[in-house]
Amino acid sequence: MAGLRLLLVSTPLGPLGQGLGGGVELTLLGLLQGLAGRGHQLSLIAAEGSQLALPPGVELLLEPGLPQPSWQHQQRQGAIQIPAAGLLPRFWARALALQDQFDAVLNLGYDWLPFWLTPQFRPPLFHLVSMGSVAQAMDEVIEATAAAFPQRLAFHSAAQAADFHLLGPPRLLANGFDFSRYSFQAEPKSLLGWVGRIAPEKGLEDAAQAAAAWGWPLAVWGLLEDPAYGAAVEASVPAGTLQWRGFLATEQLQAELGQCAALLNTPKWNEAFGNVLVEAMACGVPVLAYRRGGPAELVDPGVSGALVEPDQVGALLEALPQVLALDRRACRSRAQERFSLEAFAERVEAWLLEPG
Ligand code: UDP
């Protein structure tokens, strides 16, 4: 099969490399690497100022503009906002202008405009949906796109897709990771870990409570999206419980994360996937997570971690001893079997090639 000419359009939340795009940033890099490895010709539209190590041969098309406000921090009934000088309209004006050079266009952003534009593109426009339901306007445009073009949407997990009224079974792609970027660490410290954007939907407060009760520090990596929330969590536990490590590039993140005895994952929302769970497992760090959303589909209880009743700090504490006793090498191996980059790229390619 000849390689496809593919145009990928990044999230307009801001320049890549600082964590503004959440898990989409790593997903995008994995997609580029996996699809380039399968012989496809790739171009990427992203924000000016993006810092990213692109695989060789990928064409980078940069656009200036204001960051797009993220849907998960707006009212459920919030209006659609498109800043006139924003990255979002600039990205899609560029994609429309260039469309005839491509066999397909792939949208990575969770925004109203690209879904609405689906019928306006001559090459098929595909959407990898990165969140569950967070706003009415997005539910409507996602569901309308799914009804008119059912093959054009894909999701990361069944729990995420179940947020939307779809007429047929959803296409589930999970996600893929380059395990060569994550080193296995056999000997952890007496340290618990937590990784994510520091924002209320991520539920850091529960992990902090659990760490305080267990008596080990909790290392926290991630973008401080909501400083007032971060300060409130800090104030809710004894001084020294939280170790703020900041937002790190993958190489440094995995080196530090691998020292943890376990990762706590305690989101309050219907997390679409949960990249950080697989990244921890890739280092040999088992995961103790709430049985909710995507994370519940990622942990293999008894092998790579444990799942407990959501919002129950006591349940986390009860399950922690068995998580700490797990075989760290088996944890990494299971994750590698399930979430390889190669298999993910194959699934994405099959999706893009399916007629219709
Ligand atoms: N991340 C990172 N460095 C950090 C902390 C987090 O690169 O110090 C990345 C991590 O690799 C993951 C993303 O931030 O890809 C968070 O994604 P996740 O899917 O867990 O949640 P989201 O932010 O999309 O809700």
Side-chain angles (χ1 to χ4, degrees), residues 22-24 26 195-197 202 221-222 246-250 253 269 271 274-276 279:
V24 173
L26 193 69
V195 191
R197 289 177 293 105
K202 294 294 194 170
W221 294 271
F247 179 84
L248 305 181
T250 301
L253 173 65
W269 71 338
E271 183 87 53
N275 285 350
V276 302
E279 293 183 274

Side-chain angles (χ1 to χ4, degrees), residues 112-318:
W112 182 85
L113 182 62
F115 287 95
W116 183 80
L117 282 172
T118 309
Q120 311 307 326
F121 273 78
R122 281 176 294 272
L125 169 54
F126 293 85
H127 307 273
L128 178 49
V129 183
S130 61
M131 292 194 287
S133 167
V134 290
Q136 177 102 31
M138 285 303 296
D139 288 2
E140 285 173 9
V141 79
I142 287 172
E143 289 168 5
T145 308
F149 304 94
Q151 276 98 337
R152 302 285 186 80
L153 267 66
F155 300 85
H156 289 292
S157 68
Q160 174 204 8
D163 266 3
F164 303 101
H165 298 286
L166 306 172
L167 302 179
R171 182 176 289 265
L172 304 180
L173 297 176
N175 210 344
F177 298 80
D178 178 356
F179 277 72
S180 72
R181 298 180 73 191
Y182 300 85
S183 309
F184 173 70
Q185 292 197 47
E187 298 296 336
K189 297 183 172 168
S190 298
L191 177 68
L192 299 170
W194 189 95
V195 191
R197 289 177 293 105
I198 295 147
E201 68 271 19
K202 294 294 194 170
L204 173 61
E205 64 273 26
D206 289 15
Q209 291 294 336
W214 187 254
W216 284 2
L218 181 71
V220 178
W221 294 271
L223 181 75
L224 184 55
E225 221 173 44
D226 186 335
Y229 167 74
V233 176
E234 168 100 75
S236 73
V237 286
T241 303
L242 300 182
Q243 291 181 0
W244 299 101
R245 303 280 187 98
F247 179 84
L248 305 181
T250 301
E251 193 179 334
Q252 203 187 337
L253 173 65
Q254 65 83 32
E256 295 190 17
L257 178 58
Q259 300 172 352
C260 293
L263 181 85
L264 302 182
N265 186 257
T266 48
K268 298 286 167 179
W269 71 338
N270 186 17
E271 183 87 53
F273 186 79
N275 285 350
V276 302
L277 285 88
V278 181
E279 293 183 274
M281 294 172 193
C283 303
V285 178
V287 177
L288 175 50
Y290 286 151
R291 191 180 297 105
R292 165 187 280 151
E297 296 171 38
L298 308 185
V299 173
D300 286 294
V303 181
S304 55
L307 294 168
V308 301
E309 185 67 26
D311 310 322
Q312 303 295 323
V313 172
L316 292 171
L317 288 165
E318 221 169 280

